[in-house]
């Protein structure tokens, strides 16, 4: 058993931390307040290879492993969780499924511009009536000439406004309700129309939009086989949730860093509050839970890198890390007291940002369902994609 | 154009520095990193290499003296874009003072025969800021220090440095030694591709024997100085303590005005 990072992983983590501390963290409060997507930042991330960390070099990526990518998400989210989710969705939910399920032609056409960060990627599955029950989606793809006519709307789509490439899901078999009739497509910006931008509790430096689609696509846009879209979506979310777990971990770490420093400086009853046991216990719990989450997240990433089944491990990492992040960002506010509730300190932002990690990329309830099915052998672990 | 950059692996800025009372040496067991101003020297070397010719002729070689783990810091400089590493590492070289270190580095640099040797102005651990002078002396090469702007033209290097009264502009024929200040440039971040590619670059670790240096000329035995004692700096005299009764800011401004500092 070896818990140490490799030299490459340490350096990639160090680089991301250095960049995040210099270019992201000092701006995070303003981006949050102004609800601004920092479009200029992504050019810089792209230049350094951070938009294609775990994509093979020959397809424009940096060729690092999956754990390196997870470390990048953790460090970016530690500075600004909105940046974290944008990179996570771009990579885990758009670039990687095209890499895993695309034809050679699709891989060569769509992956390099994404991996080099010339284009930003998005993932369009959710609709007003289908979130956790993703198989109930109603957007249709009806045979039309050589391809399909796609019609419908999508909701809560991260980076909808800025993305140029969408991994998109629609029902190709109108006779079949549920998951079996769904297919995956690769769409461009011109295929979709952004009709609304959400106002959110947190994650304000990321954008979330609603899409309307009324378009024709040719056969070359079908990702994987017809009717296998739901499998593509589930397999994508299997890996994607490890990224969101890393995001939650980064947010919690940031809250802990602030709380720990504050506790050593703030004095009450003649001593630093870090000398009061009530505060010590809170910090001890924070540190322990962050450690536990980190081990779960890194293990899930390691399993994925080894090509081992990681559905259960990823769900456990996401479930624990996200609920931990909500709990511990709240504890951080408590340690800072009234200051923690103000915008003078970043912990209230961490608290608002943390909550979503319990909801997207599969709610905590869905994660418990995935874990229960796995441990009770109610559903066979799906085979690893070739 | 071949450029050698002398770099040092120093205790990381985040590590609390501690001097071992037994050896009277800095405890270097903790996390280390590339000496900050050395990153400026590497950046300057990369810019010169990339600006002259098609890049194929130019080469940036990192030269360092330190423990084997120094390679971690050198890899960061490789990831930034340097071409290869020459690390002198030998247990007998530990504890080398300025005299011994300069002789080891000069030996290593002689092997390379670079057109330009760059140093960072000083190391963040010992803050000596004289090693480059000693190395230049041993190599019998001209030296320009504290360079904040560097240009190469017609087989000569021109360095501009800021002084208390203005700027010095100094030209020296190549080959030459130049020590750069941190104001010379903004070091680039290493890219992920650079990081991934760094381990495939040539990394030579040479012992004293490889450099044909007798062990007596290195380490403590090769040193001409000896640390006799270490102590805290004396407390400052003339200090004034202000209690903030709500007029703290005004009192500080008054004090500064009194000293003619504002």
């Amino acid at each position: 058993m070896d818990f140490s990072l490799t030299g490459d992983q340490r350096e990639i983590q160090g680089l991301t931390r250095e960049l995040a501390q210099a270019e992201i963290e000092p701006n995070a409060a303003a981006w949050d307040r102004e609800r601004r997507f920092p479009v200029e930042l992504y050019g810089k991330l792209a230049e350094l290879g951070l938009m294609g960390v775990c994509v093979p070099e020959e397809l424009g990526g940096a060729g690092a492993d999956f754990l390196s990518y997870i470390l990048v998400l953790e460090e970016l989210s530690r500075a600004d969780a909105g940046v974290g989710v944008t990179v996570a969705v771009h990579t885990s939910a758009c670039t990687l499924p095209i890499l895993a399920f695309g034809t050679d032609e699709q891989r060569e056409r769509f992956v390099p511009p994404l991996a080099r960060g010339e284009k930003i990627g998005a993932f369009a599955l959710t609709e007003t009536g289908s979130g956790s029950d993703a198989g109930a989606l109603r957007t249709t793809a009806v045979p039309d000439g050589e391809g399909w006519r796609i019609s419908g709307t999508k909701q809560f789509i991260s980076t909808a406004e800025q993305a140029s490439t969408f991994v998109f899901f629609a029902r190709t078999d109108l006779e079949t309700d549920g998951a079996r009739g769904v297919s995956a497509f690769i769409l461009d910006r011109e295929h979709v129309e952004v009709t609304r931008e959400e106002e959110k509790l947190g994650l304000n430096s990321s954008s979330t939009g609603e899409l309307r689609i009324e378009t024709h696509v040719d056969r070359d846009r079908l990702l994987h086989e017809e009717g296998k879209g739901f499998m593509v979506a589930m397999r994508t979310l299997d890996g994607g949730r490890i990224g969101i777990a890393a995001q939650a971990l980064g947010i919690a770490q940031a809250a802990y860093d602030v709380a720990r420093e504050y506790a050593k400086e703030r004095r009450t009853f003649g001593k630093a509050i870090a000398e009061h046991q009530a505060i010590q216990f809170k910090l001890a719990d924070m540190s322990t839970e962050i450690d536990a989450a980190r081990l779960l997240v890194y293990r899930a990433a390691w399993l994925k890198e080894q090509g081992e089944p990681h559905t259960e491990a990823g769900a456990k990492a996401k479930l624990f890390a996200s609920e931990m992040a909500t709990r511990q960002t709240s504890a951080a506010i408590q340690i800072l007291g009234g200051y923690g509730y103000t915008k003078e300190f970043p912990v209230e932002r961490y608290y608002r940002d943390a909550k979503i990690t319990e909801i997207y990329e599969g709610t905590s309830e869905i994660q418990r369902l995935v874990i229960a099915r796995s441990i009770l052998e109610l559903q066979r672990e799906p085979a690893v994609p070739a | 154009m071949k450029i050698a950059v002398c770099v040092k692996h120093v205790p990381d800025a985040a590590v609390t520095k501690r001097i071992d009372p037994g050896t009277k040496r800095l405890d270097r067991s903790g996390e280390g990193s590339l000496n900050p101003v050395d990153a400026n020297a590497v950046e300057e070397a990369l810019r010169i290499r990339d600006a002259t010719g098609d890049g194929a002729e130019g080469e940036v070689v990192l030269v360092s003296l330190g423990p084997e783990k120094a390679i971690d810091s050198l890899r960061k400089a490789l990831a930034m874009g340097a071409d290869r590493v020459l690390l002198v590492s030998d247990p007998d070289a530990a504890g080398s003072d300025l005299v011994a270190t300069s002789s080891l580095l000069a030996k290593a640099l002689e092997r390379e025969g670079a057109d330009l040797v760059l140093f960072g102005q000083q190391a963040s651990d010992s803050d000596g800021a004289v090693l480059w002078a000693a190395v230049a002396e041993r190599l019998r090469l001209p030296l320009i220090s504290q360079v904040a702007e560097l240009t190469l033209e017609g087989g000569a290097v021109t360095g501009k440095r800021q002084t208390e009264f203005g700027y010095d502009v100094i030209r020296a024929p190549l080959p030459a030694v130049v020590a750069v200040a941190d104001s010379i440039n903004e070091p680039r971040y290493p890219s992920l591709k650079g990081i991934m590619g760094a381990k495939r670059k040539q990394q030579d670790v040479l012992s004293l024997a490889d450099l044909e240096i007798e062990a007596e000329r290195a380490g403590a035995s090769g040193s001409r100085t000896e640390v006799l004692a270490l102590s805290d700096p004396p407390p400052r005299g003339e200090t004034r303590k202000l209690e903030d009764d709500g007029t703290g800011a005004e009192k500080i401004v008054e004090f500064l005005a009194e000293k003619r500092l504002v």
Side-chain angles (χ1 to χ4, degrees):
Chain A
M1 199 158 205
D2 185 358
F3 289 99
S4 55
L5 299 177
T6 65
D8 284 345
Q9 288 162 350
R10 267 204 318 274
E11 280 181 53
I12 291 170
Q13 181 187 47
L15 158 72
T16 315
R17 187 175 295 165
E18 197 181 323
L19 173 88
Q21 281 174 358
E23 321 257 343
I24 300 176
E25 203 269 327
N27 301 308
W31 294 339
D32 172 56
R33 198 170 49 240
E34 295 158 14
R35 298 179 183 268
R36 192 167 89 71
F37 183 95
V39 66
E40 69 285 359
L41 173 70
Y42 294 94
K44 182 147 247 174
L45 297 184
E47 211 174 281
L48 297 178
L50 293 168
M51 298 303 273
V53 178
C54 56
V55 177
E57 269 183 85
E58 57 273 22
L59 287 170
D65 66 355
F66 192 77
L67 181 53
S68 297
Y69 162 63
I70 288 301
L71 295 168
V72 165
L73 290 183
E74 180 186 346
E75 291 301 329
L76 292 177
S77 302
R78 191 172 166 184
D80 185 316
V83 174
V85 72
T86 302
V87 175
V89 169
H90 165 84
T91 312
S92 293
C94 186
T95 315
L96 296 186
I98 299 175
L99 194 62
F101 298 105
T103 61
D104 287 347
E105 188 272 328
Q106 286 173 328
R107 269 199 285 261
E108 274 156 36
R109 178 173 161 201
F110 295 108
V111 172
L114 289 166
R116 288 196 294 260
E118 294 153 10
K119 290 184 173 177
I120 296 187
F123 179 82
L125 174 67
T126 299
E127 299 177 5
T128 36
S130 63
S132 293
D133 183 11
L137 67 84
R138 290 170 55 196
T139 294
T140 57
V142 182
D144 175 25
E146 283 298 287
W148 292 268
R149 169 144 291 274
I150 302 180
S151 319
T153 57
K154 293 284 173 185
Q155 192 179 235
F156 301 150
I157 306 308
S158 297
T159 338
E161 185 65 50
Q162 294 80 8
S164 304
T165 304
F166 296 77
V167 168
F168 190 95
F169 299 88
R171 183 172 303 285
T172 39
D173 183 353
L174 307 187
E175 307 302 309
T176 314
D177 284 341
R180 256 181 253 275
V182 175
S183 298
F185 296 90
I186 307 167
L187 302 191
D188 291 338
R189 184 70 178 81
E190 50 266 32
H191 292 120
V192 305
E193 185 193 345
V194 180
T195 48
R196 207 169 80 90
E197 179 79 24
E198 297 292 344
E199 269 189 57
K200 308 189 293 280
L201 172 67
L203 234 52
N204 289 323
S205 66
S206 73
S207 88
T208 310
E210 206 169 276
L211 302 178
R212 184 166 58 209
I213 309 92
E214 188 57 60
T215 193
H216 169 90
V217 295
D218 288 330
R219 287 211 72 85
D220 62 341
R221 296 288 176 158
L222 178 70
L223 179 61
H224 204 43
E225 290 165 40
E226 198 173 331
K228 294 280 177 68
F230 193 74
M231 191 275 280
V232 171
M234 292 304 110
R235 204 58 64 66
T236 300
L237 295 172
D238 259 4
R241 60 176 62 117
I242 307 173
I244 298 310
Q247 183 199 25
L249 176 60
I251 301 170
Q253 179 69 48
Y256 168 74
D257 293 340
V258 175
R260 182 174 171 277
E261 283 315 299
Y262 183 86
K264 292 202 291 189
E265 280 171 20
R266 172 73 171 176
R267 298 177 70 83
T268 60
F269 307 103
K271 54 184 173 183
I273 62 170
E275 290 172 46
H276 296 304
Q277 227 171 37
I279 301 298
Q280 290 176 349
F281 282 13
K282 276 195 176 62
L283 288 169
D285 285 348
M286 281 177 107
S287 173
T288 305
E289 289 199 5
I290 288 170
D291 250 358
R294 182 167 286 127
L295 290 170
L296 284 172
V297 174
Y298 291 4
R299 178 188 65 166
W302 179 82
L303 285 170
K304 180 168 161 55
E305 180 66 29
Q306 304 304 309
E308 298 282 334
H310 55 272
T311 305
E312 183 192 321
K316 284 176 171 171
K318 158 77 159 72
L319 172 65
F320 185 77
S322 60
E323 294 192 343
M324 178 280 287
T326 305
R327 192 159 57 236
Q328 297 304 352
T329 50
S330 167
I333 295 182
Q334 197 66 25
I335 291 173
L336 270 75
Y339 288 111
Y341 197 69
T342 69
K343 300 213 183 252
E344 201 174 321
F345 285 89
V347 289
E348 62 81 33
R349 169 166 57 89
Y350 301 148
Y351 180 63
R352 288 183 288 113
D353 287 350
K355 183 63 194 175
I356 188 62
T357 65
E358 291 182 71
I359 298 169
Y360 62 18
E361 218 86 353
T363 59
S364 285
E365 292 71 22
I366 289 291
Q367 306 309 329
R368 288 189 168 87
L369 210 63
V370 170
I371 297 163
R373 278 182 188 155
S374 172
I375 58 178
L376 298 171
E377 295 168 349
L378 296 178
Q379 199 175 288
R380 225 163 49 83
E381 182 92 25
V384 180
Chain B
M1 179 99 190
K2 184 172 179 177
I3 308 164
V5 187
C6 291
V7 297
K8 188 176 187 185
H9 174 80
V10 296
D12 191 82
V15 174
T16 311
K17 311 292 183 294
R18 189 188 145 271
I19 289 172
D20 184 324
T23 61
K24 299 195 188 74
R25 284 185 202 158
L26 186 64
D27 178 1
R28 296 177 183 278
S29 58
E31 192 75 12
S33 58
L34 182 68
N35 177 45
V37 66
D38 292 352
N40 297 91
V42 172
E43 175 66 37
E44 198 61 22
L46 297 176
R47 290 186 191 187
I48 296 167
R49 180 195 66 188
D50 297 341
T52 51
D54 56 2
E57 303 158 34
E59 191 185 30
V60 173
V61 189
L62 305 165
V63 178
S64 188
L65 169 69
E68 292 252 7
K69 71 174 179 180
I71 216 83
D72 289 347
S73 295
L74 299 176
R75 271 179 56 181
K76 184 186 172 183
L78 283 177
M80 286 172 70
D83 298 295
R84 62 184 172 87
V85 157
L86 197 165
L87 172 66
V88 181
S89 190
D90 195 306
D92 285 334
S96 293
D97 71 350
L98 169 74
V99 172
T101 302
S102 65
S103 112
L104 302 186
L105 279 181
K107 266 278 191 214
L109 287 165
E110 265 169 24
R111 276 171 63 111
E112 292 297 335
D115 303 294
L116 181 63
V117 178
L118 293 182
F119 277 82
Q121 182 66 23
Q122 63 199 68
S124 66
D125 51 359
S126 52
D127 282 309
V130 277
L131 181 64
W132 30 265
V135 169
E137 178 65 24
R138 287 189 187 279
L139 295 173
R140 312 298 297 166
L141 291 180
L143 162 76
I144 314 176
S145 66
Q146 293 175 40
V147 169
E149 215 180 290
L150 185 157
T151 43
L152 285 166
E153 209 175 27
V157 55
T158 305
K160 185 174 174 184
R161 71 171 167 225
Q162 195 175 1
T163 72
E164 274 180 72
F165 310 103
Y167 293 96
D168 292 340
V169 179
I170 303 164
R171 180 176 302 149
L174 293 177
V177 176
V178 173
V180 307
D182 62 0
S183 56
I184 193 167
N185 56 37
E186 188 69 41
R188 69 193 68 186
Y189 293 107
S191 72
L192 260 62
K193 271 186 192 153
I195 290 173
M196 300 297 292
K199 59 179 174 293
R200 293 193 291 268
K201 291 180 175 173
Q202 193 184 333
Q203 300 171 31
D204 298 321
V205 181
L206 299 186
S207 66
L208 294 176
D210 294 332
L211 284 173
E212 295 169 353
I213 296 174
E214 300 105 55
E216 304 82 68
R217 287 185 52 208
S221 56
S223 295
R224 297 282 175 278
T225 54
E226 190 187 342
V227 179
L228 299 177
L230 290 155
S231 60
D232 290 325
R236 294 181 187 206
E238 226 199 320
T239 55
R240 201 186 312 171
K241 200 169 176 182
L242 292 176
E243 289 291 336
D244 186 14
D245 55 3
T247 62
E250 285 94 329
K251 283 182 180 161
I252 290 170
V253 172
E254 259 171 47
F255 173 78
L256 292 172
E258 186 187 307
K259 296 275 175 196
R260 297 182 178 281
L261 290 168
V262 290

